[in-house]
Amino acid sequence: MNSKTTSKEYTATGRRKTSTARVRIKTGKGSFLVNNRELNDYCKTEQQRKVASSPLQTVEMANQVDVTINVSGGGGTGQSGAIRLGLSRALEKMDGDLRSSLKKAGHLRRDPRKIERKKTGQPGARKRFQFSKR
């Protein structure tokens, strides 16, 4: 048995808008890799970093698990939201007792908001062309 199979790895998927994050966690020293880059290098704003790592802060396991994430689609906000959901689901698989604290903080909820499609005969999803009476 080699050293890579000694700690169990937990996987989960998170989605937000058009972003999809595939999250893998295992017990370790606290590394956080997103698309083979550190979280601080990958996320452009402090807000995105906070959202992405918030499940670990909630359950106070930031230095106890190694997180590896592949994320694609969408922009920064959607990707950080997808990471948050995927990470929460993986932590729940790892330890079922964490569910109540994650759920209370709202991390296990899938955000259903997406961009509304543009309709024909209009310049946007809801905007109308200017009306002229005469």
Side-chain angles (χ1 to χ4, degrees):
M1 196 177 207
N2 66 28
S3 62
K4 288 187 178 182
T5 57
T6 54
S7 67
K8 187 147 168 42
E9 195 170 76
Y10 300 89
T11 61
T13 303
R15 291 186 186 89
R16 170 131 177 19
K17 293 186 175 185
T18 58
S19 302
T20 303
R22 296 188 316 258
V23 180
R24 295 187 341 235
I25 63 169
K26 61 183 178 181
T27 55
K29 303 244 187 312
S31 72
F32 200 114
L33 294 176
V34 182
N35 293 351
N36 296 321
R37 289 160 54 189
E38 284 293 325
L39 178 69
N40 293 335
D41 294 339
Y42 190 80
C43 292
K44 292 176 176 60
T45 66
E46 185 62 35
Q47 176 71 22
Q48 292 171 359
R49 281 182 222 118
K50 280 184 181 176
V51 168
S53 62
S54 58
L56 290 174
Q57 310 305 330
T58 301
V59 296
E60 296 168 358
M61 291 182 73
N63 296 324
Q64 298 170 25
V65 292
D66 289 341
V67 181
T68 309
I69 300 166
N70 285 326
V71 65
S72 62
T77 303
Q79 286 188 354
S80 58
I83 290 169
R84 179 174 85 164
L85 180 61
L87 186 54
S88 301
R89 287 176 172 173
L91 285 168
E92 182 190 3
K93 281 185 184 177
M94 188 177 186
D95 184 4
D97 298 334
L98 301 175
R99 180 176 169 82
S100 61
S101 59
L102 288 168
K103 193 170 173 132
K104 188 177 179 186
H107 297 313
L108 291 173
R109 186 183 186 113
R110 161 72 160 96
D111 192 340
R113 295 176 293 174
K114 286 192 171 188
I115 292 179
E116 193 174 333
R117 76 173 201 87
K118 180 197 171 297
K119 279 72 166 195
T120 55
Q122 298 174 201
R126 298 198 176 188
K127 189 177 182 184
R128 305 284 194 262
F129 286 115
Q130 186 171 350
F131 176 73
S132 174
K133 197 173 249 185
R134 306 181 172 47

